[in-house]
Amino acid sequence: MPTVIDNTRPKSDARSAVSAAARAKGKGGPEGQLYKPRQPIYPKLVHGKWRAVKWALLIFTLAVYYITPWIRWHRPDGFPQQAALVDFTGRRFYFFDIQLWPQEVYIFTGLLVMAALALFLVTALFGRLWCGYACPQTVWTDLYIVVERLFEGDRNARMRLDAAPLSFDKIWRKTGKHLVWLGIAFGTGGAWIFYFHDAPNLIRTFWTGDAPITAYASCFLLTCTTYIFAGWMREQVCTYMCPWPRIQGAMLDDHSLQVTYLAYRGETRGPHKKGQSWEGRGDCIDCHQCVVVCPMGIDIRDGAQMECINCGLCVDACDEMMIKVGRPTGLIAYDSDYVVAARSKGEKAVYKPIRSRTIYYALAMSVVGGLTLWSLVTRPKADLSVIRDRNPIFVRMHDGAVRDGYTLKIGNRTFEPRTFDITFEGVPGARLSQPGQTGRTVSVVVPADQVAPLRVFVTAPPDLEGERPASVPGRFVIRSGDVRAETKTVFLSGAANPQ
Amino acid sequence: MAHEKDTDEVTGVDTTGHEWDGIKELDNPLPRWWLWVWYASIAWSIGYWILMPAWPGIHGYTKGLLHQSDRVEVSKQLTALDIKRGEGAAQLRTASLEQIEKDPKLNAYAQQVGQSVFGDNCATCHGIGGTGGKGYANLRDDVWLWGGKLEDIQYTITHGVRTGADGARMSMMPAFGRDEMLQPAQIDDLTEYVVKLSNRPADAAAVARAQPLFEAQCSACHGVEGKGMVELGAPNLTDADWLYGADRTAIRGQIFSGNGGVMPTWQGRLSPETIKALAVYIHSNAGGQ
């Protein structure tokens, strides 16, 4: 069957050819042109295994993103009923049964560190899978290309349309595409703000004009960035703006699986006619299908390169062609440099997923993950912070007793109001006092899920003063049923009695 | 600028002609979007010059079409703050001192007001922490010359001490020595007596000599047992608190010259609600009475 050979696509040295052409136009003289024009990229629709995985992940990730804020979750009255909520005004983060306070942001930090390590591990094992399958830039660009195809057709039709003079047909296709793009962008911005407010409430107030200004601003901002990044900038975001392509080299080694062109098998490349012998030549028929499907506009046959997001669409395109011409698939495949090098010499080699690097990453991940989980599970249900008075540091009473003042902040992390009993340990015979209360123990009611500040005085009796050093270590203990917290502090009694 | 044209072999890109330790700088063009952002920034800054105050001149500065002024903004915010504070002040006016102290929200507000007013008006004498000093009462302990209940404190702040104003707290320790009401030897004996009152070792003979003297001269205000009288502002001489010093020299000096400090009348200088907040602040920081 006839092979489609696309001559409209510039060859892999297109960039320098174009810049040379632009230079020749004489815009900037011998210094070169003022800016680098973007190479338009018209990725062609491809079918195959990896494309199917990409479709599945596209639907899955977008579904998670759009649906999550709409999941309801039962909490006591007066608390948000939304499963996933970042409550800025209440300064709480809710995620199903987990509720975090601002000072517990370290748990979130632990999650981020784990996510980073997971990214390192996946990259060391399978190359840039994140870039190719899960990155929002990739997912939304993919979605935008679907819309583009719907209005303007596939690669060749799109190229013809762009080259054609302005006509009614061109105008409505372009306008329709941009309107749908903007609609998706708006939906994206809208979905994002639902993570920060009660979703059913917000969707109503958003249209009545009663939503907070931050909701409108965030929605507008995300609409703009989605539309510009996924519609207009696409691969330029990855190439120019994203730091990850520059960093990933540190995670990759000879054993990492990457989309690789098996040059030893493909070269010497060239067109191939049906019936011709395959003797003395490579399997690559130079059909450029791997190039035309690439959303990054690169030629994988040039080897691993910074722009490659490892998405595997060229693998699908090449396999399809190999089947058509009756050669084994896998000329472009997820493979490691180590295996490819061995095979090119006729040796047998197996992919090695377990290496010191992957062990380190996995180990670090489980340590950080374990610590994060441990601190999440064992975090106390009550918080106690103690600020001791510094002016005065102590007060001598009429009978020679010494009194220190403290400000306690008692946080009740449970969903019901609690009465906390407060004691001070470390100074024998010490008494606590608080307006209206005095004794070995004072009590305070802290409302559900709140912090109550409390002034407490600790008075040490005078008869012990001769024996007491100027500074005594002590601690405040708060108890409410099985909920308990304590914080160390010092009791200062100053110099010896001056009398 | 002019330099010999040099093209990098590997990339086919011209160099700028700059070279550092054998490393040459490629003359890659900027991405177009980058350039657009730059142009947009320039356009923005021109718009900013026109709309906002931007250029200094000899007799002022350009005002800009929007007439934006931070000074006006600040005064607007201050006015808004005054209105907002008005609500708190109204609550302080109507609530009783006990109610203020019991209501967590109102108490917190009173503490804030009290702290700042204390720092501005009271700290000069009583210290920023309220611990006073020699001749200036400690407001953090449990000794109160004029009473330590909320109303007592409010009264003392409102009317002051020894200002001569109507209602001002008034007490007068006589200057027994300076005014020659007692002989120096009698003052020495009384000093020993006062030391003995506060449970410290003293000359027994002198104490015995001073006993009738104390009862005749001092007990009218300080009481027969020397425990003082809050109604008269007379200090308790048996405790560990000494406004003018605890040692013999200080005690003798006080009997000799009878010092008494003055505290201003704050009525008319501070609003009634501010005085209320101040009273609550002082009361709670002294542990209440």
Side-chain angles (χ1 to χ4, degrees), chain A residues 23 30-31 33-38 233 236 240-241 389 391-392 395-400 403 435 455 457 499, chain B residues 3 14 27 29-33 35 39 128-129 131 138 140-143 239-240 242 246 284-287:
Chain A
R23 246 195 314 262
E31 298 295 307
Q33 76 277 32
L34 191 55
Y35 60 80
K36 181 175 177 176
R38 181 191 174 212
M233 296 187 68
Q236 298 179 93
Y240 297 115
M241 291 166 77
D389 282 5
N391 185 9
V395 174
R396 206 174 293 281
M397 312 305 280
H398 81 279
D399 59 355
R403 191 175 70 191
R455 286 274 293 159
F457 295 106
Q499 295 163 50
Chain B
H3 60 88
D14 289 350
D27 191 15
L30 294 164
R32 193 191 333 219
W33 63 265
L35 219 59
Y39 290 146
I128 196 76
T131 48
N138 183 343
R140 301 290 286 241
D141 63 10
D142 58 348
V143 176
D239 65 14
W242 299 91
S284 65
N285 274 296

Side-chain angles (χ1 to χ4, degrees), chain A residues 152-171:
Chain A
E152 302 178 7
D154 205 7
R155 175 180 164 82
N156 290 333
R158 281 212 299 281
M159 288 167 73
R160 268 199 306 277
L161 188 72
D162 275 3
L166 213 57
S167 64
F168 175 73
D169 183 64
K170 184 166 177 170
I171 289 171

Side-chain angles (χ1 to χ4, degrees), chain B residues 17 32 211 227 249 277:
Chain B
R32 193 191 333 219
Q211 171 101 36
K227 293 210 164 157
T249 319

